[in-house]
Amino acid sequence: MSIDTVRVDLGARSYDVRIGRGLLARAGAEIAPLVPKGRGVAVLTDETVAGLHLDSLRDGLGGIGMVAHAMAPGEATKGWAGLAEAVDWLLAEKVERRDIVVALGGGVIGDLGGFAAAILRRGVRFVQVPTTLLAQVDSSVGGKTGINSVHGKNLVGAFHQPSLVLADIDLLASLPERDFLAGYGEVVKYGLLGDAAFFDWLEANGPALAAGDAALRQYAVRRSVEMKAEIVARDETEQGDRALLNLGHTFCHALETATGYSGRLLHGEGVAIGCALAFELSQRLGLCPQEAPGRVRAHLRAMGMKTDLADIPGDLPGVDALIGLMLQDKKVVDGRLRFILARDIGAAFVAADVAMEPVRAVLAEALSGR
Ligand code: GLY
């Protein structure tokens, strides 16, 4: 099976996303053009990923030397203390301005490692090696890097594009099923937001893809990355169209906050439920066909994914509290909710000023099903 290349076209900051099997094993050949002669690379990872993949990366790098630092796994690492730990380690390893940092891991390590690279010596280059489906199709591409603050998630950060992304499809085989399906929530999002034919393809191929078919997985990652690359090239810093990538996220962030960013709801699970709710809202506003929300939910159900609020274990706050959490979202401008709505499957758009009443009605109905 061959390796696909998707170019993220950003002028002098353009880079390739390489997608395929066996990329870790050929990491040396892939990364070598970026590494100054006689220098090695500094790898940031977490303890779980290190146990699974660090030796393979070391072998794959061949003649390129490697030092590595494994951080505690989990979202708590993505804060000020974790950032200081990463940056101080890179400085202790004498990483210089022209060197390459490699972020080997999921979204936490990619975001944190990317931000450490952005601020180290006022910016060094970095390579993303995403190890989760969510990181391969979303967080490793597009240059959003950062950490969480006590005031909220991802509130401190920088746009810093990687120099290369290596998405090795074989690494997805080591993911627990729940994590894989959560990442699949972001894959479905791409079909829903901009490519109805891709959503058709996912309906037909999703179950085999989830069961482990590597060729189908590679196509799904490639198509997702192509869509993200095209949107990021149009709007790198989210002044407009990049917000389309937030389909489902306003509902998702409220639900994540309500569940305390705990194991009760993974981010990709919240995105899937949020997409279903965004289609319910679009239909209630008379924007999309009657049958579209049912079709979205039927696919999520067929994949064994969380689809409704009833699928979230434990208590949820009421409508008013959920609306209150939505109003705290980064996407609120002057107290008005900015939603990504849809005219149909594959036809999302940014709606800047959504009335509260239909949002309340959708949430009330969704909560009554619990
Ligand atoms: N994850 C959304 C974005 O990269 O813009």
Side-chain angles (χ1 to χ4, degrees), residues 146-159:
I147 57 169
N148 305 326
S149 131
V150 287
H151 298 284
K153 291 242 304 173
N154 297 327
L155 290 182
V156 179
F159 285 99

Side-chain angles (χ1 to χ4, degrees), residues 138 144 228 238 242 245-246:
D138 183 33
K144 279 189 181 175
K228 179 149 191 185
E238 203 169 310
R242 185 165 179 164
L245 298 171
N246 296 328

Side-chain angles (χ1 to χ4, degrees), residues 17-69:
V17 182
R18 301 268 288 153
I19 303 158
R21 303 189 65 180
L23 274 165
L24 217 53
R26 43 171 293 116
E30 298 285 334
I31 295 177
L34 300 170
V35 180
K37 223 175 164 37
R39 303 288 297 175
V41 294
V43 180
L44 281 169
T45 187
D46 73 34
E47 285 153 8
T48 307
V49 173
L52 291 167
H53 304 305
L54 196 57
D55 285 344
S56 309
L57 177 61
R58 185 180 288 106
D59 292 347
L61 283 168
I64 300 175
M66 172 189 114
V67 289
H69 181 65

Side-chain angles (χ1 to χ4, degrees), residues 57-294:
L57 177 61
R58 185 180 288 106
D59 292 347
L61 283 168
I64 300 175
M66 172 189 114
V67 289
H69 181 65
M71 310 196 55
E75 190 73 28
T77 293
K78 206 179 117 175
W80 290 108
L83 181 68
E85 179 184 328
V87 169
D88 282 336
W89 175 75
L90 290 166
L91 290 170
E93 291 295 335
K94 304 204 168 18
V95 172
E96 295 178 5
R97 192 66 224 289
R98 63 206 175 105
D99 286 332
I100 293 285
V101 173
V102 175
L104 171 71
V108 166
I109 289 297
D111 287 6
L112 174 80
F115 190 38
I119 60 176
L120 185 80
R121 301 188 192 280
R122 298 200 180 84
V124 303
R125 295 168 303 156
F126 79 115
V127 172
Q128 291 269 24
V129 185
T131 57
T132 64
L133 180 58
L134 188 136
Q136 292 193 352
V137 299
D138 183 33
S139 56
S140 69
V141 179
K144 279 189 181 175
T145 71
I147 57 169
N148 305 326
S149 131
V150 287
H151 298 284
K153 291 242 304 173
N154 297 327
L155 290 182
V156 179
F159 285 99
H160 185 53
Q161 300 292 343
S163 298
L164 174 70
V165 181
L166 299 178
D168 187 334
I169 297 299
D170 287 334
L171 306 190
L172 303 179
S174 62
L175 283 182
E177 189 191 12
R178 186 176 174 199
D179 290 321
F180 185 88
L181 286 179
Y184 186 80
E186 296 277 2
V187 174
V188 172
K189 180 193 79 177
Y190 288 105
L192 294 177
L193 77 86
D195 187 347
F198 183 46
F199 186 77
D200 294 346
W201 185 90
L202 290 171
E203 284 180 318
N205 295 289
L209 179 165
D213 185 306
L216 297 177
R217 288 179 171 195
Q218 181 165 337
Y219 177 73
V221 173
R222 189 186 97 200
R223 184 67 199 120
S224 301
V225 170
E226 279 171 355
M227 292 183 69
K228 179 149 191 185
E230 197 264 317
I231 290 171
V232 167
R234 268 201 329 255
D235 177 23
E236 183 182 8
T237 56
E238 203 169 310
Q239 307 303 310
D241 274 2
R242 185 165 179 164
L244 292 171
L245 298 171
N246 296 328
L247 177 62
H249 282 63
T250 305
F251 287 114
C252 170
H253 288 153
L255 295 171
E256 281 184 296
T257 309
T259 51
Y261 291 95
S262 66
R264 284 173 64 197
L265 185 72
L266 303 179
H267 175 70
E269 294 173 336
V271 170
I273 294 174
C275 285
L277 291 173
F279 270 79
E280 294 288 353
L281 179 59
S282 302
Q283 193 259 318
R284 189 171 281 269
L285 292 168
L287 293 165
C288 81
Q290 193 84 14
E291 63 278 9

